[in-house]
Amino acid sequence: MGCVVFGWASDRFGRRLTMLVAAAIQTVTSITAAFATNYVIFIFLRFLIAFSVSGVFECGFVLVTEICGPTYRTYFGILTQFPFGIGAALLPLIAYFIREWQSLQLAISLPCILLASFYWFVPESPRWLMAEGRLDEALKILKDGAKTNGRTLPSDQELLEMMRSINEEEEEEAPPPEETEMSTGDKVQSVFKEIIILVATPEMRKRTLNIFYSWLIVAMVYYGLSFNTKNLGGDRYSSGFISGFVEVPAVVVILPLLSRLGRVKCYCYTFISGGICCGIVALISFTTDKDDVVWLTVGIAMVGKFLISMTFAIAYLYTAELFPTKVRNVAVGMASTFARIGSISAPYIVDLLGFVHAGIPVVIFGLASTSAGLFSLMLPETLNKKLPESVAEVERSAKNKKTRNVPMQDLNT
């Protein structure tokens, strides 16, 4: 729910405002959950925590990618995932020493107070302001950024002309609005127009469906491999720490690979390699006694988690690069919603099918991961490409690619 609501709100009301609201909800509900008087209240507050965390993380991520240029976008887009792995590794360490749930909840919630600093240090996205026609505000943020970085910008008039030309190009290619009285259905459609845009045109539809499927699979495999360690054996605190910590080197390793190989190859290879690791774990589980090779199976499963952590990090960056500014946040939000469907399914696969045999869940994860990797080959490469500003630009890039792939004799004909 948080992915959908905050993704839509971010594209409608701005990255900064939406992130600040989400941070306030996260801080209040996280701390309040430690004082819940019964299980129903605790679960309700946990729902609000998850609801708000989606807004903080995804709005912050999109804001980072929109502020960075093509050269630095890979590094900062991936490094935003770095603290996630550290947090995932710290949780079992803290839980090992703090066994009482209220104290544990309070210990992991108090740092949320630091999110208040966003109010003073986080600017609005100049790309979003430009897309909304708020050019003077975008110009001010660009000038502040240039001053901080010791850079010189073109004149204000030249920058404003550049921004106006981009907006005018998009308006020319968009159909003019009809001045008729809107029905109830039209009003509902206008509210959710950002979501509808994701599937309204051929290239947008292809990208959207492919990305939604890959996010569903990457989250299912990511959380499934974490949960399935209990079926494979080993101490849950140690396995939890390793499962979280493998994300830290995964983020570091993927950076040079993304710059060298590009998004598509890295996305495909990590998906398929993770699937192969799942297949190996399944083979060992079906052919040997798990108690005899527990660390081998857990080790290979963690290699799979390492690879899928790479895929998850790429997914955020790649999705932000595939979609235009006006629907970028809602695209990431909706993709993350499908990821939550995958993560919701993971414990059922692990608990219900893993009860029958520990190898069954990893077979499912392996096949699903491999299929998502193969489908990703249909997506375009975005390495060192500028972020698309409009749907028209996305569709035009697809047409240009088709034209380049047509043999010269066909063009002459």
Side-chain angles (χ1 to χ4, degrees), residues 213-253:
Y213 177 72
S214 68
W215 275 68
L216 187 151
I217 299 303
V218 74
M220 182 183 74
V221 178
Y222 175 91
Y223 288 104
L225 288 174
S226 300
F227 298 151
N228 202 46
T229 53
K230 65 182 180 181
N231 291 329
L232 300 175
D235 175 68
R236 65 176 177 171
Y237 292 99
S238 301
S239 298
F241 172 78
I242 296 170
S243 178
F245 186 74
V246 294
E247 298 184 38
V248 177
V251 170
V252 175
V253 169

Side-chain angles (χ1 to χ4, degrees), residues 113-164:
I113 295 173
L114 296 175
L115 296 175
S117 64
F118 285 5
Y119 182 83
W120 293 278
F121 295 113
V122 177
E124 183 54 88
S125 164
R127 286 181 180 274
W128 180 82
L129 290 170
M130 187 188 73
E132 293 296 307
R134 293 159 61 175
L135 305 185
D136 291 335
E137 295 174 63
L139 180 62
K140 183 179 183 303
I141 293 172
L142 290 174
K143 291 171 68 175
D144 289 342
K147 182 179 178 181
T148 301
N149 294 329
R151 299 301 180 99
T152 302
L153 289 176
S155 67
D156 292 2
Q157 188 61 35
E158 187 176 346
L159 280 173
L160 286 171
E161 286 299 323
M162 289 168 62
M163 290 188 280
R164 287 194 189 99

Side-chain angles (χ1 to χ4, degrees), residues 181-192:
E181 187 175 345
M182 296 177 66
S183 65
T184 304
D186 291 334
K187 291 179 180 178
V188 172
Q189 184 175 344
S190 69
V191 172
F192 296 101

Side-chain angles (χ1 to χ4, degrees), residues 6 44 61 63 75-76 87 110 181 210 222 231 246 248 254 272 316 320 364 387 392 409:
F6 286 114
F44 174 71
F61 171 79
L63 182 57
Y75 297 97
F76 285 98
L110 287 176
E181 187 175 345
N210 200 322
Y222 175 91
N231 291 329
V246 294
V248 177
I254 199 62
I272 294 177
Y316 276 95
I364 295 173
L387 293 177
Q409 60 267 29

